[in-house]
Amino acid sequence: MQSHSPKITIKMGGKRPEIALLSIQSNHETLEKDQSALQGPSISSHSDRKETDQNVLDVSLSEHSTEDEDVDSPLCDDSHKQIVLYDYSRNGLEMVKASKNPNSHKPHSFSRAPPEVGAFTVQCANCLKWRLIPDQEKYEVIREHITDQPFLCETTRQWNRLISCDDPADIEQDGTRIWAIDKPNIAQPPRGWKRLLRLRREGGSRFADVYYASPTGTKLRSLPDVINRYLNSHPEHAQGIGVGRFSFQIPTPLQENYVKKRPTQMAAPATPEYLERPPVEPISLSGPAEKLDLQFAEPLSWAGPVVNKTGMPAYLKTAGLDPVNQAAKKAKIHDFSCL
DNA sequence: GCCACCGGTGGC
DNA sequence: GCCACCGGTGGC
């Protein structure tokens, strides 16, 4: 059997896509395409169909995409209209939010908003075609076990799709979306918790932030945060929650220049010759990013033992790379049982 | 005052 | 160079 190391990605809407290949479409056409991709040729019962319909991607214009858009906003261009928005409320993925702002569950905020995660897609380990995953929960399950339970086209039968490797890919690289390679084997969040990925705008110092929203609505943004601000404060809720269930790893954008490179610190000679040099060209002017071929990209180097009994991906359990132990040491916490 | 977002930085 | 972590801050 042919075997590859599949990648799992989060596909996002974006203002200046470099990777995706779909031709420019109307939103209606895009919606139909994504819906049919998810539903496939499945013959489903009424109840099944209802569930599928609740899980389709909602493709819509950003509410601030036209009139409300700041003229100088990086999101103000035609491609922004192609953004694929994931409808959190229809998929039971609304954020656990602070009660203060009743509107914060909307899919996006409306001024200078960063891109949203548009869809989840996983590569079949056999044919390497990309398959859309209907919702975040299913995606997280697949991601958790991706190395010991490789994703196959047939896996989509779990949500009543009858497709095989002979069927065309759900999605290809096109010019309308930003792609990012996700980290494998990230544990599903503990029951009642949500793992939130917040993307940053292009040109920032990093690509995204991960937050964990606790059952009480507290948002934690690091392991020390989880330990100090939640588990220590809610020992009754900490029962059975291992810190290995938390991972703050973020996906890697395929668009090379999405994240601003950190300037290298070089001691500049204070000579007249140096002072007369023209300014260094910004990185963003150095040329368009290459279109990376997802289908034939090199496998990532994370393959190996998956998750040990601590819930920590084994590839992290190397000296100096164990954020759990580091965080626990920093927080002087040793009494949490890991699952 | 809270919080989402962003940049900086130290450790590796 | 990457990443985990955290401080700053502007908008609400």
Side-chain angles (χ1 to χ4, degrees):
Chain A
M1 182 177 96
Q2 191 181 11
S3 179
H4 301 277
S5 296
K7 289 183 177 181
I8 49 181
T9 71
I10 295 173
K11 177 173 66 67
M12 290 154 292
K15 65 139 188 135
R16 198 173 303 151
E18 300 283 348
I19 303 299
L21 292 177
L22 282 180
S23 58
I24 298 299
Q25 299 171 302
S26 73
N27 295 296
H28 181 65
E29 290 167 340
T30 308
L31 174 60
E32 286 185 343
K33 178 181 180 66
D34 284 347
Q35 284 184 347
S36 62
L38 280 172
Q39 293 170 359
S42 149
I43 304 172
S44 55
S45 67
H46 177 71
S47 58
D48 289 336
R49 170 57 61 91
K50 181 180 179 183
E51 179 183 2
T52 305
D53 285 345
Q54 287 172 341
N55 288 330
V56 300
L57 298 172
D58 179 32
V59 182
S60 59
L61 285 173
S62 166
E63 293 182 25
H64 71 297
S65 61
T66 52
E67 302 92 338
D68 297 337
E69 186 61 62
D70 186 329
V71 171
D72 296 328
S73 166
L75 293 176
C76 184
D77 62 14
D78 289 340
S79 64
H80 182 47
K81 297 175 182 174
Q82 302 300 318
I83 282 181
V84 181
L85 295 173
Y86 201 93
D87 188 334
Y88 283 78
S89 60
R90 285 171 58 196
N91 290 279
L93 295 174
E94 54 270 66
M95 295 181 200
V96 180
K97 57 186 181 297
S99 58
K100 177 186 173 187
N101 183 358
N103 295 322
S104 63
H105 67 285
K106 290 184 177 180
H108 38 266
S109 54
F110 297 114
S111 64
R112 300 182 175 279
E116 294 272 345
V117 174
F120 304 94
T121 180
V122 182
Q123 207 173 16
C124 171
N126 275 343
C127 66
L128 298 182
K129 290 172 182 170
W130 292 97
R131 299 299 178 196
L132 288 168
I133 309 302
D135 58 55
Q136 184 173 349
E137 280 84 357
K138 290 183 178 67
Y139 175 81
E140 288 179 337
V141 171
I142 293 168
R143 179 177 60 187
E144 179 172 14
H145 304 290
I146 189 68
T147 53
D148 57 340
Q149 298 176 21
F151 177 85
L152 302 170
C153 289
E154 288 71 23
T155 309
T156 60
R157 290 175 184 170
Q158 292 176 9
W159 49 93
N160 297 318
R161 286 191 69 195
L162 298 177
I163 58 170
S164 70
C165 294
D166 295 330
D167 293 304
D170 290 350
I171 190 164
E172 308 272 3
Q173 302 171 55
D174 64 9
T176 66
R177 295 174 174 91
I178 299 167
W179 289 70
I181 303 295
D182 204 2
K183 301 296 190 296
N185 304 123
I186 293 175
Q188 297 174 64
R191 185 181 299 275
W193 291 69
K194 291 288 184 185
R195 187 176 189 270
L196 310 173
L197 179 67
R198 304 295 294 175
L199 306 181
R200 294 190 175 190
R201 285 175 297 167
E202 184 175 356
S205 62
R206 39 186 289 122
F207 176 61
D209 296 290
V210 170
Y211 299 89
Y212 279 86
S214 78
T216 61
T218 308
K219 282 187 177 178
L220 297 316
R221 57 178 184 159
S222 68
L223 275 171
D225 233 10
V226 170
I227 295 169
N228 293 322
R229 288 184 53 212
Y230 189 83
L231 298 182
N232 273 350
S233 306
H234 304 80
E236 71 279 9
H237 294 158
Q239 198 68 271
I241 296 180
V243 287
R245 298 288 294 275
F246 299 89
S247 169
F248 291 87
Q249 295 182 101
I250 61 174
T252 303
L254 281 180
Q255 183 180 328
E256 280 186 15
N257 56 2
Y258 191 94
V259 175
K260 181 178 59 184
K261 301 294 184 188
R262 190 174 164 186
T264 56
Q265 295 189 351
M266 296 175 58
T271 63
E273 179 185 3
Y274 166 77
L275 294 174
E276 290 170 4
R277 287 179 187 170
V280 175
E281 291 294 325
I283 293 174
S284 59
L285 298 180
S286 61
E290 293 292 327
K291 283 190 175 180
L292 303 180
D293 189 332
L294 295 171
Q295 302 287 335
F296 298 99
E298 287 296 318
L300 298 179
S301 58
W302 38 259
V306 189
V307 178
N308 59 28
K309 67 177 182 180
T310 68
M312 164 67 65
Y315 67 95
L316 288 176
K317 297 291 287 185
T318 55
L321 286 177
D322 183 345
V324 173
N325 284 344
Q326 288 185 353
K329 187 183 300 181
K330 191 169 184 176
K332 293 184 169 54
I333 295 299
H334 304 284
D335 55 348
F336 289 112
S337 61
C338 297
L339 297 178

